[in-house]
Amino acid sequence: MSDALSRKALWSAAHAERASLAEDLAELTEAQWARRSLCGRWTIEEVVAHLTAAANVGAVRWFASVLGARFDFDLHNDRRLAEYRGAGPAQTLERFRRSITNSTSAPGPTAAWLGEVIVHAQDIRRPLGLPRTPAVEALTAVAHFYTRRDFTVESRSTIKGLRLEATDGPFASGEGPLVSGTTVALTMAMAGRRDYCDDLTGPGVPTILARCGNSTGEQQVRGPRP
C-alpha cells in the first residue's frame, strides 16, 4: 500500500480501522466511556459519536450544518455529535457499529477521512491504555497526506522545515532537523497531539513540540475549512 492509494483502498482502510476500534470499545466500563479523550473537552463516548456523525453526514448535510452554525465548527461538530450520540454508551457504540462500512463523508480528499478515523481512534486508545496500533500501511497513507497540506489539521505547518522518518515503516518526508519515531507517533504529532511528541526523538523534536497542540490535546479534527 503506497501513499497514492485509490479512493476504494482508502475507504477499505477506513472501514477496517473503524471495525478495529469497535472491537476495542466492546468491553469498556461506564467509567472508561466517560473518561476525557485526547480530543480536548470530548469524552471517549463523545469522540465515538463524532466518528459516527462523520460516517453519516455527506456533503449536502455538512454544508447545511456549517451554514446553520454560521461557520462555527465547534458548534457544528457539537450539534452533529449530539444527533448521533445514543441514550447511553451501549447505544452510542451500536450506532457506530452500524456505520463501520459507510463511505459517506464531508467534502474533501478521502485520505483526510481515513485520517479522521485513525487520529480519533488514538484519541480514544491512548488515555485508556489500549495497545492496538492502526495498520502501518494506512498510517503511511495518512502521514503522506498530512505532509502535503493543512486540511482538517495544521499538519503541514507543524512539520515545516523538518525531516520526518518513521522507524517502523517506509514513511519519510521533508528536509531539515530530524524527527523520528513510529508512524503512528509522527502522524499523531502532525495532527497536533502533544502527547505523542514524547514518543519522538531527534534534534527537530523541540520544534515540533512547540508547534503541537497543548498537553490536553485540544486540537480537534474539525472538517474541511470553507
Side-chain angles (χ1 to χ4, degrees):
M1 191 180 290
S2 72
D3 63 311
L5 293 179
S6 68
R7 186 170 183 271
K8 181 178 179 180
L10 288 167
W11 275 123
S12 179
H15 299 160
E17 294 305 323
R18 286 180 190 146
S20 175
L21 178 60
E23 289 182 11
D24 288 341
L25 296 169
E27 302 301 324
L28 296 191
T29 65
E30 291 283 337
Q32 287 175 313
W33 277 104
R35 188 171 298 177
R36 181 72 61 93
S37 73
L38 292 188
C39 197
R41 56 196 169 84
W42 286 352
T43 65
I44 301 300
E45 184 180 0
E46 287 168 334
V47 176
V48 175
H50 172 70
L51 283 172
T52 304
N56 285 275
V57 177
V60 173
R61 284 198 64 210
W62 182 87
F63 276 119
S65 179
V66 169
L67 286 171
R70 298 185 179 182
F71 294 96
D72 181 336
F73 286 94
D74 287 334
L75 178 59
H76 153 74
N77 281 328
D78 286 346
R79 286 174 172 175
R80 301 288 68 78
L81 181 160
E83 179 183 358
Y84 286 93
R85 186 176 184 175
Q91 188 175 54
T92 299
L93 178 56
E94 180 56 31
R95 289 177 176 181
F96 177 67
R97 282 176 171 150
R98 292 201 300 264
S99 305
I100 284 174
T101 59
N102 287 5
S103 298
T104 301
S105 72
T110 306
W113 311 129
L114 171 58
E116 173 137 328
V117 177
I118 284 175
V119 170
H120 282 321
Q122 297 310 111
D123 286 339
I124 290 168
R125 289 183 177 123
R126 183 89 167 197
L128 295 175
L130 298 175
R132 191 178 335 221
T133 300
V136 70
E137 295 85 0
L139 284 164
T140 299
V142 173
H144 278 293
F145 173 75
Y146 280 175
T147 66
R148 290 193 289 266
R149 62 188 294 190
D150 293 338
F151 187 66
T152 56
V153 291
E154 296 182 354
S155 49
R156 185 181 180 187
S157 297
T158 297
I159 62 167
K160 184 178 180 181
L162 298 172
R163 170 70 178 175
L164 273 60
E165 292 183 2
T167 57
D168 62 343
F171 172 69
S173 180
E175 299 293 337
L178 177 65
V179 178
S180 63
T182 61
T183 314
V184 67
L186 291 169
T187 301
M188 294 298 288
M190 283 190 279
R193 271 47 177 187
R194 187 183 179 93
D195 296 63
Y196 279 85
C197 294
D198 294 338
D199 300 344
L200 304 175
T201 60
V205 170
T207 299
I208 201 168
L209 185 62
R211 294 172 180 172
C212 270
N214 64 39
S215 60
T216 58
E218 288 186 358
Q219 184 175 351
Q220 297 175 4
V221 179
R222 296 180 181 275
R225 297 171 185 162

